[in-house]
Amino acid sequence: MDKLLFLTFLVLADSGIAQFANNLHGDLNFLCPSDRQVVTSIYSVFDFSFNDRTWSYGCGSGGGLANVTATCSLQPPINTLEGTIRYDCPDDGYFGGFASTFDPSPNDREWSPYCCTRPHAALINCQTQAQWQNQLREELNVTLTAV
């Protein structure tokens, strides 16, 4: 349930953690407030009594592309319940948000990312994280930074 590995991140400045985007066992639907922003931080806390996580996201400006409008679209679910997530947004896209529903049968979430693209822009120097970014039932606190 809790093993997440996001493969493609466009990392930009001005990140900050927002309030939780979901209630325990509730749906999650988070999209950065501006189409010129991308997800730059992810924070999550596991609650043992609900066997679920609350999620919070921070967004940053588009760096040198801050004045270029992006097109974001919600993708179909990218995981199977109790499975791992390995996903790249299509067309050199990046994560602008996430949607998730909780399924009480396996106590897991199904995830759909908002993938964003900008005209005449491409991701460069993207790297896959070498290890899992979280552990089962542990706090997750990731700030996405450029290499």
Side-chain angles (χ1 to χ4, degrees):
M1 169 180 155
D2 291 307
K3 292 193 176 199
L4 302 176
L5 177 65
F6 298 117
L7 296 180
T8 304
F9 289 117
L10 175 63
V11 180
L12 308 157
D14 303 328
S15 68
I17 298 293
Q19 295 180 354
F20 286 114
N22 68 300
N23 293 319
L24 294 165
H25 289 186
D27 291 344
L28 180 151
N29 191 18
F30 176 84
L31 183 62
C32 288
S34 167
D35 63 2
R36 294 183 169 106
Q37 293 181 316
V38 300
V39 173
T40 56
S41 57
I42 302 171
Y43 179 72
S44 178
V45 177
F46 185 82
D47 185 296
F48 286 91
S49 61
F50 282 84
N51 203 26
D52 190 20
R53 288 180 168 273
T54 49
W55 294 87
S56 179
Y57 303 95
C59 296
S61 67
L65 297 174
N67 295 322
V68 179
T69 301
T71 301
C72 300
S73 60
L74 186 62
Q75 303 298 299
I78 61 173
N79 68 304
T80 57
L81 295 172
E82 296 187 317
T84 58
I85 298 175
R86 294 178 183 265
Y87 184 78
D88 289 319
C89 284
D91 303 319
D92 275 333
Y94 55 87
F95 297 116
F98 298 95
S100 177
T101 57
F102 182 81
D103 188 320
S105 176
N107 284 320
D108 199 6
R109 289 187 165 274
E110 183 176 73
W111 288 93
S112 296
Y114 283 95
C115 288
C116 304
T117 57
R118 294 181 182 186
H120 313 294
L123 300 177
I124 57 172
N125 296 326
C126 295
Q127 296 182 359
T128 300
Q129 296 290 331
Q131 70 269 354
W132 293 113
Q133 294 301 300
N134 71 318
Q135 299 298 319
L136 183 66
R137 298 186 175 103
E138 298 291 324
E139 178 183 80
L140 171 67
N141 192 359
V142 177
T143 300
L144 310 173
T145 57
V147 178

